[in-house]
Amino acid sequence: RPNFFILGAPKCGTTALSEYLRRHPRAFVSQPKEPHYFCRDFDYYYAPGRRSEEHYLRLFEEAGDEHDAVGEASVWYLYSSTAARDIAAFDPAARAVVMLRNPVELVPSLHSQLLYMLDEDEPDPARAWELQEPRRRGEHLPPRVRVPEFLQYGEAARLGAQLARVYESFPREQVLTIVFDDLRADTGAVYRRALDFLGLPDDGRAEFPRVNENK
């Protein structure tokens, strides 16, 4: 069973940190890394129609006794209104790593990612911002958008309110917040802080290639 969860926000380094941890000999990260199982308010589980705890736990079947930290990383857990509470109910002792970023930087980066993934069809981020209210009403939705709520950029960027939900569900000592600027400025220091939080020894990693850059 997973005992740690990396809760995005999207475009905040969630993918990078999960990939660095995946290579640690005493850590196991699910594949796919973003199952979004606990996003009950978004129909976004990685295997549509197969959402069950039994199916979800199969993602961790290959974790062994050598893995002290077993986890997953889903970028929409922080935005979800249910995920933090449901994760705490699943495992009250779980560790939560929360990835944050300046919202003014997050919004255009998220827009680029959704455009690349064909969830968004408006190339101008300012116009996409203006479309939030019509889209909330079901108007002007891109034909291939998977979860219309993801196009509510203002809601996605309300990181303070989202973090408050995490603290309502977990004791503060079970929550580690990581700011993207810090990860970018000194990746090694942030990585070692995450290892310490998860109870993992330093594996001496010195190379931290950039992962999931803006497209």
CSV table of all heavy atoms in Angstrom, one decimal, residues 31-58:
chain,number,residue,atom,x,y,z
A,31,GLN,N,3.7,3.2,-11.5
A,31,GLN,CA,3.7,3.5,-13.0
A,31,GLN,C,2.3,3.0,-13.5
A,31,GLN,O,2.0,1.8,-13.4
A,31,GLN,CB,4.8,2.7,-13.7
A,31,GLN,CG,5.0,3.1,-15.1
A,31,GLN,CD,5.5,4.5,-15.3
A,31,GLN,OE1,4.7,5.4,-15.6
A,31,GLN,NE2,6.8,4.7,-15.1
A,32,PRO,N,1.5,3.9,-14.0
A,32,PRO,CA,1.7,5.3,-14.3
A,32,PRO,C,1.8,6.1,-12.9
A,32,PRO,O,1.2,5.7,-11.9
A,32,PRO,CB,0.5,5.8,-15.1
A,32,PRO,CG,-0.6,4.8,-14.6
A,32,PRO,CD,0.1,3.5,-14.4
A,33,LYS,N,2.6,7.2,-13.0
A,33,LYS,CA,2.8,8.0,-11.8
A,33,LYS,C,1.6,8.8,-11.3
A,33,LYS,O,1.5,9.2,-10.2
A,33,LYS,CB,4.0,8.9,-11.9
A,33,LYS,CG,3.7,10.2,-12.7
A,33,LYS,CD,4.7,11.2,-12.6
A,33,LYS,CE,4.4,12.5,-13.3
A,33,LYS,NZ,3.3,13.3,-12.8
A,34,GLU,N,0.6,9.0,-12.3
A,34,GLU,CA,-0.5,9.9,-12.0
A,34,GLU,C,-1.8,9.1,-12.1
A,34,GLU,O,-2.6,9.4,-13.0
A,34,GLU,CB,-0.5,11.1,-13.0
A,34,GLU,CG,0.7,12.0,-12.8
A,34,GLU,CD,0.5,13.2,-13.7
A,34,GLU,OE1,-0.6,13.7,-14.0
A,34,GLU,OE2,1.5,13.8,-14.1
A,35,PRO,N,-2.1,8.2,-11.2
A,35,PRO,CA,-3.4,7.5,-11.3
A,35,PRO,C,-4.6,8.3,-11.0
A,35,PRO,O,-5.7,8.1,-11.5
A,35,PRO,CB,-3.2,6.4,-10.3
A,35,PRO,CG,-2.2,6.8,-9.3
A,35,PRO,CD,-1.3,7.7,-10.1
A,36,HIS,N,-4.4,9.4,-10.2
A,36,HIS,CA,-5.6,10.3,-9.8
A,36,HIS,C,-6.7,9.5,-9.2
A,36,HIS,O,-7.9,9.8,-9.3
A,36,HIS,CB,-6.0,11.1,-11.0
A,36,HIS,CG,-5.1,12.2,-11.4
A,36,HIS,ND1,-4.2,12.1,-12.4
A,36,HIS,CD2,-4.9,13.4,-10.8
A,36,HIS,CE1,-3.5,13.2,-12.5
A,36,HIS,NE2,-3.9,14.0,-11.6
A,37,TYR,N,-6.4,8.4,-8.5
A,37,TYR,CA,-7.5,7.6,-7.9
A,37,TYR,C,-8.4,8.3,-6.9
A,37,TYR,O,-9.6,8.1,-6.8
A,37,TYR,CB,-6.8,6.4,-7.2
A,37,TYR,CG,-7.8,5.5,-6.4
A,37,TYR,CD1,-8.7,4.7,-7.0
A,37,TYR,CD2,-7.7,5.5,-5.0
A,37,TYR,CE1,-9.6,3.9,-6.3
A,37,TYR,CE2,-8.6,4.7,-4.3
A,37,TYR,CZ,-9.5,3.9,-4.9
A,37,TYR,OH,-10.4,3.1,-4.2
A,38,PHE,N,-7.8,9.2,-6.1
A,38,PHE,CA,-8.5,9.9,-5.1
A,38,PHE,C,-9.2,11.2,-5.6
A,38,PHE,O,-9.8,11.9,-4.8
A,38,PHE,CB,-7.6,10.2,-3.9
A,38,PHE,CG,-7.1,9.0,-3.2
A,38,PHE,CD1,-5.8,8.5,-3.5
A,38,PHE,CD2,-7.9,8.3,-2.3
A,38,PHE,CE1,-5.4,7.3,-2.9
A,38,PHE,CE2,-7.4,7.2,-1.6
A,38,PHE,CZ,-6.2,6.7,-1.9
A,39,CYS,N,-9.2,11.4,-6.9
A,39,CYS,CA,-10.0,12.6,-7.4
A,39,CYS,C,-11.4,12.1,-7.7
A,39,CYS,O,-11.8,11.9,-8.9
A,39,CYS,CB,-9.3,13.1,-8.7
A,39,CYS,SG,-7.8,14.0,-8.4
A,40,ARG,N,-12.2,11.9,-6.7
A,40,ARG,CA,-13.5,11.5,-6.9
A,40,ARG,C,-14.4,12.5,-7.6
A,40,ARG,O,-15.4,12.2,-8.2
A,40,ARG,CB,-14.2,11.0,-5.6
A,40,ARG,CG,-13.7,9.7,-5.0
A,40,ARG,CD,-14.5,9.3,-3.9
A,40,ARG,NE,-14.4,10.2,-2.7
A,40,ARG,CZ,-15.4,11.0,-2.3
A,40,ARG,NH1,-16.6,11.0,-2.9
A,40,ARG,NH2,-15.3,11.8,-1.3
A,41,ASP,N,-14.0,13.8,-7.5
A,41,ASP,CA,-14.8,14.8,-8.1
A,41,ASP,C,-14.5,15.1,-9.6
A,41,ASP,O,-15.2,15.8,-10.3
A,41,ASP,CB,-14.7,16.2,-7.3
A,41,ASP,CG,-13.2,16.5,-6.9
A,41,ASP,OD1,-12.3,15.6,-7.1
A,41,ASP,OD2,-13.0,17.6,-6.5
A,42,PHE,N,-13.4,14.4,-10.0
A,42,PHE,CA,-13.0,14.5,-11.4
A,42,PHE,C,-13.0,13.0,-11.9
A,42,PHE,O,-12.3,12.2,-11.3
A,42,PHE,CB,-11.7,15.1,-11.7
A,42,PHE,CG,-11.5,16.4,-11.1
A,42,PHE,CD1,-10.3,16.8,-10.4
A,42,PHE,CD2,-12.5,17.4,-11.2
A,42,PHE,CE1,-10.1,18.0,-9.9
A,42,PHE,CE2,-12.3,18.7,-10.6
A,42,PHE,CZ,-11.2,19.0,-10.0
A,43,ASP,N,-13.6,12.7,-13.0
A,43,ASP,CA,-13.5,11.4,-13.6
A,43,ASP,C,-12.2,11.2,-14.4
A,43,ASP,O,-12.2,11.3,-15.6
A,43,ASP,CB,-14.7,11.1,-14.5
A,43,ASP,CG,-14.8,9.7,-15.0
A,43,ASP,OD1,-14.1,8.8,-14.4
A,43,ASP,OD2,-15.5,9.4,-15.9
A,44,TYR,N,-11.2,11.0,-13.6
A,44,TYR,CA,-9.8,11.1,-14.2
A,44,TYR,C,-8.9,10.0,-13.8
A,44,TYR,O,-7.7,10.1,-13.9
A,44,TYR,CB,-9.2,12.5,-13.8
A,44,TYR,CG,-8.1,13.0,-14.7
A,44,TYR,CD1,-8.3,13.1,-16.1
A,44,TYR,CD2,-6.8,13.3,-14.2
A,44,TYR,CE1,-7.3,13.6,-16.9
A,44,TYR,CE2,-5.8,13.8,-15.0
A,44,TYR,CZ,-6.1,13.9,-16.4
A,44,TYR,OH,-5.1,14.4,-17.2
A,45,TYR,N,-9.5,8.9,-13.3
A,45,TYR,CA,-8.6,7.7,-13.0
A,45,TYR,C,-8.0,7.2,-14.2
A,45,TYR,O,-8.6,7.2,-15.3
A,45,TYR,CB,-9.5,6.7,-12.3
A,45,TYR,CG,-8.8,5.5,-11.8
A,45,TYR,CD1,-7.6,5.6,-11.1
A,45,TYR,CD2,-9.3,4.2,-12.0
A,45,TYR,CE1,-6.9,4.5,-10.6
A,45,TYR,CE2,-8.6,3.1,-11.5
A,45,TYR,CZ,-7.4,3.2,-10.8
A,45,TYR,OH,-6.8,2.1,-10.4
A,46,TYR,N,-6.8,6.7,-14.1
A,46,TYR,CA,-6.0,6.4,-15.3
A,46,TYR,C,-6.6,5.2,-16.1
A,46,TYR,O,-6.4,5.1,-17.3
A,46,TYR,CB,-4.6,6.0,-14.9
A,46,TYR,CG,-4.4,4.5,-14.5
A,46,TYR,CD1,-3.9,3.6,-15.3
A,46,TYR,CD2,-4.8,4.1,-13.2
A,46,TYR,CE1,-3.7,2.3,-14.9
A,46,TYR,CE2,-4.6,2.8,-12.8
A,46,TYR,CZ,-4.1,1.9,-13.7
A,46,TYR,OH,-3.9,0.6,-13.3
A,47,ALA,N,-7.5,4.4,-15.5
A,47,ALA,CA,-8.2,3.3,-16.3
A,47,ALA,C,-9.7,3.6,-16.2
A,47,ALA,O,-10.3,3.1,-15.2
A,47,ALA,CB,-7.8,2.0,-15.7
A,48,PRO,N,-10.3,4.3,-17.1
A,48,PRO,CA,-11.7,4.6,-17.0
A,48,PRO,C,-12.6,3.4,-16.8
A,48,PRO,O,-12.4,2.3,-17.4
A,48,PRO,CB,-12.0,5.3,-18.4
A,48,PRO,CG,-10.7,5.8,-18.8
A,48,PRO,CD,-9.7,4.8,-18.3
A,49,GLY,N,-13.5,3.5,-15.9
A,49,GLY,CA,-14.5,2.4,-15.6
A,49,GLY,C,-13.9,1.3,-14.7
A,49,GLY,O,-14.6,0.3,-14.5
A,50,ARG,N,-12.7,1.5,-14.2
A,50,ARG,CA,-12.1,0.4,-13.4
A,50,ARG,C,-11.7,1.0,-12.0
A,50,ARG,O,-10.8,0.4,-11.4
A,50,ARG,CB,-10.9,-0.2,-14.1
A,50,ARG,CG,-11.2,-0.8,-15.5
A,50,ARG,CD,-10.1,-1.5,-16.1
A,50,ARG,NE,-9.7,-2.7,-15.4
A,50,ARG,CZ,-8.7,-3.5,-15.7
A,50,ARG,NH1,-7.9,-3.1,-16.8
A,50,ARG,NH2,-8.5,-4.6,-15.1
A,51,ARG,N,-12.3,2.0,-11.6
A,51,ARG,CA,-11.9,2.6,-10.3
A,51,ARG,C,-12.4,1.7,-9.2
A,51,ARG,O,-13.6,1.6,-8.9
A,51,ARG,CB,-12.6,4.0,-10.2
A,51,ARG,CG,-12.1,4.7,-8.9
A,51,ARG,CD,-13.0,6.0,-8.7
A,51,ARG,NE,-12.9,6.9,-9.7
A,51,ARG,CZ,-12.0,8.0,-9.7
A,51,ARG,NH1,-11.3,8.2,-8.6
A,51,ARG,NH2,-12.0,8.8,-10.7
A,52,SER,N,-11.4,1.1,-8.5
A,52,SER,CA,-11.7,0.3,-7.3
A,52,SER,C,-10.4,0.3,-6.5
A,52,SER,O,-9.3,0.4,-7.1
A,52,SER,CB,-12.2,-1.1,-7.6
A,52,SER,OG,-11.1,-1.9,-8.2
A,53,GLU,N,-10.5,0.1,-5.2
A,53,GLU,CA,-9.3,0.0,-4.4
A,53,GLU,C,-8.4,-1.2,-4.9
A,53,GLU,O,-7.2,-1.1,-4.9
A,53,GLU,CB,-9.6,0.0,-3.0
A,53,GLU,CG,-8.3,0.0,-2.1
A,53,GLU,CD,-8.7,0.2,-0.6
A,53,GLU,OE1,-9.3,1.1,-0.2
A,53,GLU,OE2,-8.2,-0.7,0.2
A,54,GLU,N,-9.0,-2.3,-5.1
A,54,GLU,CA,-8.3,-3.5,-5.6
A,54,GLU,C,-7.5,-3.2,-6.8
A,54,GLU,O,-6.3,-3.5,-7.0
A,54,GLU,CB,-9.2,-4.6,-5.8
A,54,GLU,CG,-8.5,-5.9,-6.3
A,54,GLU,CD,-9.5,-7.0,-6.6
A,54,GLU,OE1,-10.7,-6.7,-6.6
A,54,GLU,OE2,-9.1,-8.1,-7.0
A,55,HIS,N,-8.1,-2.5,-7.8
A,55,HIS,CA,-7.4,-2.2,-9.1
A,55,HIS,C,-6.3,-1.2,-8.8
A,55,HIS,O,-5.2,-1.3,-9.4
A,55,HIS,CB,-8.5,-1.7,-10.1
A,55,HIS,CG,-7.9,-1.5,-11.4
A,55,HIS,ND1,-7.4,-0.2,-11.9
A,55,HIS,CD2,-7.7,-2.3,-12.5
A,55,HIS,CE1,-6.9,-0.4,-13.1
A,55,HIS,NE2,-7.1,-1.6,-13.5
A,56,TYR,N,-6.6,-0.2,-8.0
A,56,TYR,CA,-5.6,0.8,-7.7
A,56,TYR,C,-4.4,0.2,-7.0
A,56,TYR,O,-3.2,0.5,-7.4
A,56,TYR,CB,-6.2,1.9,-6.8
A,56,TYR,CG,-5.3,2.9,-6.2
A,56,TYR,CD1,-4.6,3.8,-7.0
A,56,TYR,CD2,-5.1,2.9,-4.8
A,56,TYR,CE1,-3.8,4.8,-6.4
A,56,TYR,CE2,-4.3,3.9,-4.2
A,56,TYR,CZ,-3.6,4.8,-5.0
A,56,TYR,OH,-2.8,5.7,-4.5
A,57,LEU,N,-4.6,-0.7,-6.1
A,57,LEU,CA,-3.5,-1.2,-5.3
A,57,LEU,C,-2.6,-2.1,-6.2
A,57,LEU,O,-1.4,-2.4,-5.8
A,57,LEU,CB,-4.0,-2.0,-4.1
A,57,LEU,CG,-4.6,-1.2,-3.0
A,57,LEU,CD1,-5.1,-2.0,-1.9
A,57,LEU,CD2,-3.5,-0.2,-2.5
A,58,ARG,N,-3.1,-2.6,-7.4
A,58,ARG,CA,-2.2,-3.3,-8.3
A,58,ARG,C,-1.0,-2.5,-8.8
A,58,ARG,O,0.0,-3.1,-9.2
A,58,ARG,CB,-3.0,-3.8,-9.5
A,58,ARG,CG,-4.1,-4.9,-9.1
A,58,ARG,CD,-4.8,-5.3,-10.4
A,58,ARG,NE,-6.0,-6.1,-10.0
A,58,ARG,CZ,-7.0,-6.4,-10.8
A,58,ARG,NH1,-6.9,-5.9,-12.1
A,58,ARG,NH2,-8.0,-7.1,-10.5
